[in-house]
């Protein structure tokens, strides 16, 4: 009896715990290294003799550097502004479109559904040159708000695609009952189906927020001027493209910039997993 | 009783919609077009129209700050005669196939590892997903620092443990640089592949698995002959969509290697950026990005066909 229990424990250690531990270490190490470096003094960052994998004299000087020496706070506000604005705008547009494609019968509904999927797959690499041209024509190239116009072009296809799928899973009967009770078609959609779609909308919102927060290419090309930058561009341009790499502040900046998404993830992990397995996400 | 009631209400509501069709917005057609129009107009202006501009620019000699002249196919002729372009094609292929293969195999292995009950499963899943959740730009900065030519912590530790004498050239040697890029792409993508595959595996009926257990098949055989054939549809879609993202990737190579050393990691996204933004030849850059189009169109069509077949 005792021998078999020992064997069982050994077996569990072999699968899944041993490979799982190695895997999770590999997944976590870059983040550990990022946070650890952000807490090190300059001397300790380049000290490979004492204890490279730990911090002996933790300091917050890398964090204060961000706010005193470069416009990190400004970039943070820029990122929040653009991310919130584009997420809300894209969601409103996508809820309307997603509902119509999923629920309403009109000529071309299927075709439009297919078009949404195609636009979702069009990569930004293909579009940044001509979109810069369009932004230039409307006199917005260089402004921070150019991004407010540019980001929905990939957020709307994504959110519409995800929400169309979600609306299809909601039963239609309650809506029909409401119409019997005198609601208009649009009123029934807004008052009955929309509240039932909240989990789907939340998933779309979280992904839209993350996509926008993470965006690099458009922010790099469409925006000029130090005080107009978003976090990714600001960090790369100010800290990583000089002869001397400021690893401490760079890692501190990366840590602070990751926090909003980490918080979202902490509270809404199930929404992340749900959206991911809805097959609506590029890997 | 309940079903009867609901068919009754359906009939009544159908009747009522018929009566109220006089109200314009209650008719599905006009309402549908109205609700779709903001998305349609926005995407027409910010996606379809730019796409047309891109095709036009690729046929001109447009440079930054100058007016375009129509030059027909010259940009493409230039590209097809440039070894740098063909190197980009090969690199993109290596990057895409390498990353996809590792993500596919790694995803299957991790999914199968998680496809059992054990204490700490939820925590393990939460940690596993972090590389995919935390914004790529910021995690790639951490990788960049981890692989830094002079200060890589990996080299530091391997030397400390006496495993190597000289630094490994993670980003400075052509082959190593491409390898690093593929590993980073895999690190970021495996969580997504694994969780999607796991969700698919969990829809496989228990009876099938039990039956194969009775037949005496071991876990390896059971996976490939019973489980895998049933999750193929999900695998195909995930691979197709991920291929589109990887072939046109910009962020990872831009942050980690910028196409170097000596163009060893030059891929479509970086070459497009380099020609248009650094060299200033916008027309040529547009042409580079459009050379991806046949491959992308094929992948999009395959995804569409596959999705329609499945639903």
């Amino acid at each position: 009896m005792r021998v078999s229990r020992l064997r069982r424990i050994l077996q569990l250690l072999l699968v899944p715990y041993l490979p799982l531990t190695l895997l999770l270490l590999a997944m976590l190490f870059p983040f550990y290294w990022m946070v650890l470096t952000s807490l090190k003094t300059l001397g300790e960052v380049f000290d490979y003799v004492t204890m490279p994998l730990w911090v002996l004299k933790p300091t917050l000087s890398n964090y204060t550097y961000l706010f005193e020496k470069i416009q990190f706070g400004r970039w943070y506000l820029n990122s929040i502004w653009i991310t919130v604005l584009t997420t809300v705008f894209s969601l409103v547009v996508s809820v309307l479109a997603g509902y119509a494609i999923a629920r309403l019968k009109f000529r071309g509904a299927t075709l439009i559904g297919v078009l949404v999927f195609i636009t979702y797959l069009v990569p930004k690499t293909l579009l940044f040159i001509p979109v810069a041209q369009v932004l230039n024509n409307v006199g917005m190239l260089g402004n921070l708000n150019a991004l407010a116009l540019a980001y929905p072009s990939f957020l709307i296809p994504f959110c519409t695609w995800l929400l169309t799928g979600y609306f299809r899973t909601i039963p239609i009967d309650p809506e029909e009952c409401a119409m019997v009770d005198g609601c208009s078609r649009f009123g029934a959609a807004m008052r009955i189906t929309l509240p039932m779609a909240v989990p789907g909308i939340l998933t779309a919102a979280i992904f839209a927020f993350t996509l926008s927060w993470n965006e690099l290419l458009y922010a790099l090309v469409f925006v000029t001027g130090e005080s107009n930058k978003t976090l990714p561009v600001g960090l790369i341009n100010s800290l990583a493209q000089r002869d001397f790499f400021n690893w401490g502040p760079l890692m501190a900046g990366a840590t602070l910039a990751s926090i909003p998404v980490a918080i979202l993830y902490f509270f809404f992990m199930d929404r992340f997993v749900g959206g991911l397995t809805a097959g609506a996400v590029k890997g | 009783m309940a079903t009867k009631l609901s068919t009754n209400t359906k009939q009544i509501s159908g009747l009522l919609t018929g009566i109220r069709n006089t109200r314009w917005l209650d008719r599905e057609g006009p309402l549908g077009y109205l609700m779709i129009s903001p998305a349609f107009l926005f995407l027409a202006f910010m996606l379809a129209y730019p796409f047309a501009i891109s095709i036009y620019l690729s046929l001109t000699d447009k440079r930054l700050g100058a007016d375009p002249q129509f030059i027909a196919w010259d940009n493409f002729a230039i590209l097809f005669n440039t070894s740098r372009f063909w190197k980009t094609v090969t690199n993109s292929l290596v990057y895409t196939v390498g990353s996809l293969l590792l993500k596919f195999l790694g995803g299957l292995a991790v999914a199968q590892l998680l496809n059992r009950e054990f204490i700490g499963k939820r925590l393990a899943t939460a940690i596993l997903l972090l590389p995919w959740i935390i914004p790529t730009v910021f995690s790639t900065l951490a990788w960049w620092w981890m692989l830094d030519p002079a200060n890589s912590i990996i080299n530091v530790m391997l030397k400390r443990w006496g495993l190597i004498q000289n630094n490994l050239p993670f980003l400075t040697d052509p082959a190593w640089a491409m390898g690093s890029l593929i590993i980073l792409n895999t690190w970021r993508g495996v969580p997504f592949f694994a969780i999607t595959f796991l969700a698919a595996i969990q829809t496989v009926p228990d009876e099938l698995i039990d039956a194969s257990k009775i037949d005496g098949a071991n876990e390896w055989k059971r996976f490939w002959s019973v489980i895998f054939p049933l999750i193929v549809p999900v695998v195909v879609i995930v691979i197709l969509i991920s291929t589109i993202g990887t072939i046109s990737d910009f962020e990872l190579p831009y942050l980690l290697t910028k196409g170097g050393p000596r163009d060893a990691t030059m891929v479509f996204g970086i070459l497009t950026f380099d020609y248009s933004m650094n060299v200033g030849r916008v027309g040529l850059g547009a042409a580079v990005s459009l050379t991806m189009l046949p491959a992308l169109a094929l992948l999009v069509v395959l995804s569409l066909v596959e999705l329609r077949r499945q639903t």
Side-chain angles (χ1 to χ4, degrees):
Chain A
M1 194 64 193
R2 178 168 288 175
V3 175
S4 78
R5 176 177 280 182
L6 195 68
R7 246 183 92 168
R8 169 106 186 98
I9 291 173
L10 278 177
Q11 240 168 25
L12 267 178
L13 277 181
L14 202 62
V15 178
Y17 287 115
L18 181 69
L20 203 61
T21 310
L22 293 176
L23 178 75
L24 295 185
L25 278 179
M27 292 290 151
L28 272 181
F29 184 77
F31 300 116
Y32 173 74
W33 192 232
M34 176 165 108
V35 177
L36 193 78
T37 307
S38 79
L39 297 171
K40 286 182 173 181
T41 58
L42 191 62
E44 228 182 300
V45 167
F46 294 107
D47 174 10
Y48 306 132
V49 182
T50 326
M51 271 182 91
L53 291 181
W54 190 241
V55 53
L56 299 171
K57 279 174 280 166
T59 169
L60 287 177
S61 62
N62 293 320
Y63 289 88
T64 50
Y65 178 101
L66 295 174
F67 294 95
E68 283 164 5
K69 298 280 167 52
I70 53 175
Q71 301 190 35
F72 188 80
R74 177 63 196 246
W75 304 333
Y76 220 97
L77 292 178
N78 288 345
S79 271
I80 291 176
W81 161 245
I82 288 299
T83 302
V84 171
L85 188 68
T86 54
T87 301
V88 171
F89 172 73
S90 306
L91 275 180
V92 172
V93 172
S94 305
V95 164
L96 292 173
Y99 178 87
I101 295 169
R103 276 288 167 83
L104 300 176
K105 290 181 202 72
F106 57 96
R107 276 174 71 99
T110 323
L111 178 68
I112 288 175
V114 170
L115 284 178
V116 166
F117 183 63
I118 293 176
T119 54
Y120 158 61
L121 293 177
V122 175
K124 282 184 291 184
T125 318
L126 210 60
L127 289 172
F128 77 90
I129 295 175
V131 170
Q133 203 80 13
V134 172
L135 291 169
N136 193 26
N137 293 345
V138 296
M140 286 182 75
L141 194 65
N143 285 347
L144 174 64
N145 284 331
L147 301 181
L149 205 57
Y151 286 2
S153 68
F154 59 85
L155 294 180
I156 292 175
F158 168 76
C159 295
T160 306
W161 172 245
L162 197 144
L163 286 169
T164 306
Y166 200 84
F167 278 123
R168 288 213 171 104
T169 65
I170 298 175
I172 197 158
D173 294 359
E175 207 174 291
E176 288 178 336
C177 291
M179 289 197 303
V180 171
D181 291 343
C183 254
S184 67
R185 190 77 184 72
F186 187 72
M190 288 299 120
R191 264 174 250 164
I192 306 298
T193 306
L194 195 63
M196 292 170 79
V198 164
I201 295 172
L202 193 61
T203 305
I206 289 168
F207 277 99
F209 184 96
T210 310
L211 282 176
S212 217
W213 190 260
N214 189 24
E215 208 288 324
L216 176 68
L217 179 56
Y218 284 0
L220 205 59
V221 177
F222 301 159
V223 172
T224 45
E226 195 66 10
S227 60
N228 276 330
K229 287 173 179 165
T230 54
L231 278 173
V233 179
L235 276 180
I236 296 164
N237 280 354
S238 308
L239 294 172
Q241 286 196 329
R242 294 183 184 158
D243 297 336
F244 175 71
F245 293 96
N246 263 323
W247 293 113
L250 190 64
M251 291 301 113
T255 306
L256 281 187
S258 302
I259 282 178
V261 179
I263 291 176
L264 271 183
Y265 180 53
F266 183 78
F267 284 108
F268 299 111
M269 182 185 151
D270 293 333
R271 293 281 112 233
F272 273 101
V273 176
L276 198 148
T277 49
V281 176
K282 288 188 226 187
Chain B
M1 183 61 194
T3 46
K4 203 175 171 212
L5 204 72
S6 93
T7 28
N8 277 345
T9 40
K10 252 185 199 152
Q11 278 168 358
I12 296 167
S13 85
L15 207 70
L16 283 180
T17 353
I19 296 166
R20 281 203 270 104
N21 261 356
T22 43
R23 275 168 66 181
W24 187 69
L25 266 188
D26 271 357
R27 282 163 56 202
E28 298 209 345
L31 184 62
Y33 291 122
L34 193 71
M35 287 176 83
I36 209 93
S37 57
F40 187 83
L41 292 176
F42 189 90
L43 293 180
F45 182 65
M46 289 303 292
L47 218 136
Y49 173 55
F51 184 68
I53 294 182
S54 177
I55 293 174
Y56 165 69
L57 284 176
S58 75
L59 303 174
T60 71
D61 66 349
K62 169 77 182 160
R63 285 167 191 266
L64 280 182
D67 285 331
Q69 287 287 321
F70 187 78
I71 54 166
W73 306 106
D74 284 8
N75 283 327
F76 293 96
I78 294 170
L79 283 182
F80 296 156
N81 284 310
T82 314
S83 63
R84 197 177 190 214
F85 173 76
W86 293 110
K87 192 162 190 186
T88 303
V89 174
T90 328
N91 288 340
S92 299
L93 267 177
V94 171
Y95 177 52
T96 307
V97 173
S99 306
L100 261 297
L101 196 67
L102 287 184
K103 284 192 278 194
F104 166 68
L105 293 174
L108 281 184
V110 176
Q112 197 53 8
L113 192 64
L114 290 174
N115 184 31
R116 66 195 77 225
E117 288 310 315
F118 58 91
I119 298 165
K121 184 174 175 177
R122 201 179 143 78
L123 181 70
T125 315
I127 295 175
L128 175 74
L129 272 172
L130 274 179
W132 188 77
I133 303 288
I134 298 296
T136 309
V137 175
F138 310 120
S139 58
T140 304
L141 287 178
W143 272 88
W144 192 39
W145 167 221
M146 259 168 63
L147 300 175
D148 182 70
N151 308 294
S152 165
I153 181 65
I154 300 175
N155 281 331
V156 169
M157 293 320 287
L158 288 178
K159 275 201 263 185
R160 235 175 125 97
W161 295 329
L163 294 171
I164 52 167
Q165 301 289 317
N166 301 312
N167 281 346
L168 300 174
F170 294 115
L171 302 178
T172 45
D173 173 85
W176 277 88
M178 178 57 89
S180 302
L181 206 56
I182 290 174
I183 295 292
L184 173 53
N185 188 299
T186 306
W187 174 82
R188 187 194 54 171
V190 154
F192 165 70
F193 275 59
I195 298 299
T196 322
F197 291 172
L198 179 64
I201 288 174
Q202 283 171 345
T203 62
V204 175
D206 287 340
E207 300 89 71
L208 284 178
I209 294 168
D210 292 342
S212 81
K213 273 182 189 160
I214 292 166
D215 290 347
N218 61 22
E219 193 172 332
W220 176 260
K221 200 166 170 221
R222 187 155 64 238
F223 180 78
W224 289 108
S225 61
V226 181
I227 297 175
F228 187 73
L230 288 171
I231 65 166
V232 161
V234 171
V235 171
V236 169
I237 285 290
V238 167
I239 287 183
L240 282 173
I241 291 181
S242 182
T243 304
I244 294 173
T246 312
I247 215 167
S248 63
D249 195 7
F250 171 79
E251 285 171 359
L252 288 192
Y254 181 79
L255 288 166
L256 202 66
T257 58
K258 291 213 166 48
R262 279 169 282 132
D263 287 347
T265 56
M266 184 59 76
V267 289
F268 285 115
I270 305 291
L271 193 66
T272 305
F273 186 86
D274 190 53
Y275 277 146
S276 58
M277 304 307 293
N278 299 336
V279 184
R281 298 182 66 171
V282 179
L284 197 59
V288 172
S289 71
L290 284 172
T291 55
M292 283 189 294
L293 202 58
L296 289 176
L298 179 70
L299 289 162
V300 169
V301 169
L302 285 177
S303 316
L304 272 173
V305 170
E306 186 60 25
L307 266 184
R308 302 223 99 185
R309 207 175 56 82
Q310 284 177 27
T311 47

